[in-house]
Amino acid sequence: MTRKLDPGKWERLLSEERRALLDPGAFLDSIGMEAGSTAADLGAGPEFFTGLLAQRVGPGGTVHAVDTSPEMVHLLRDQDLPSQVKVVLSGGNRLPIPNESVDLARLAFVLHELDEPTSFLAEARCVLWPSGRLAVLEWVPQEE
């Protein structure tokens, strides 16, 4: 059974507490992005990583900000994002990105929301260049 975030609670995704805990800049520093690269922000949500990815790839790069939630895509489109960010609504496990066109695909806290994570990861692999990289952050269930 998947656990999906209620889109009405999107503010939680942008909280200062979450930024302090996860430090998106440090995460992106650790995986490295070159200017002019193409990135896929899969499960972009309301823009936790997208703007920082756009800074890293620069004006000569592209960031595909992808989400399956129309509410999240609407929130993304309302942001003041750089022109190299392409916001797209995805239909389930099919990614609206050309195959072998992405240097880095980033997923943060998405896998636990998917009904078929294996097929989603296979689709993510298809959009990556043969030398492309997949960076995943995911929750680890812990007993309380």
Side-chain angles (χ1 to χ4, degrees):
M1 181 170 152
T2 60
R3 298 183 64 194
K4 296 187 180 201
L5 176 73
D6 175 356
K9 298 181 180 179
W10 64 268
E11 295 96 348
R12 293 174 51 193
L13 298 175
L14 299 177
S15 71
E16 289 304 316
E17 179 184 13
R18 187 170 193 245
R19 286 195 187 281
L21 177 66
L22 301 176
D23 194 349
F27 172 69
L28 293 177
D29 288 345
S30 74
I31 58 177
M33 283 298 301
E34 294 183 24
S37 298
T38 298
D41 190 4
L42 305 177
E47 196 282 305
F48 190 73
F49 286 96
T50 307
L52 291 173
L53 275 169
Q55 288 176 6
R56 300 296 200 287
V57 302
T62 301
V63 175
H64 299 280
V66 181
D67 210 291
T68 60
S69 164
E71 296 90 348
M72 293 298 179
V73 167
H74 179 73
L75 289 166
L76 271 168
R77 288 186 174 140
D78 281 349
Q79 302 294 320
D80 185 23
L81 295 170
S83 62
Q84 68 265 37
V85 176
K86 312 299 181 210
V87 179
V88 289
L89 178 65
S90 174
N93 287 345
R94 299 297 303 162
L95 295 174
I97 301 170
N99 285 350
E100 295 187 0
S101 66
V102 172
D103 299 294
L104 172 77
R106 189 231 37 100
L107 291 95
F109 314 109
V110 170
L111 292 176
H112 69 276
E113 293 198 0
L114 300 173
D115 294 324
E116 298 178 29
T118 303
S119 64
F120 183 82
L121 290 171
E123 178 69 6
R125 179 63 192 107
C126 287
V127 303
L128 289 170
W129 287 108
S131 61
R133 296 173 295 138
L134 177 65
V136 178
L137 286 173
E138 190 56 69
W139 302 115
V140 176
Q142 296 182 0
E143 293 183 28
E144 295 185 33

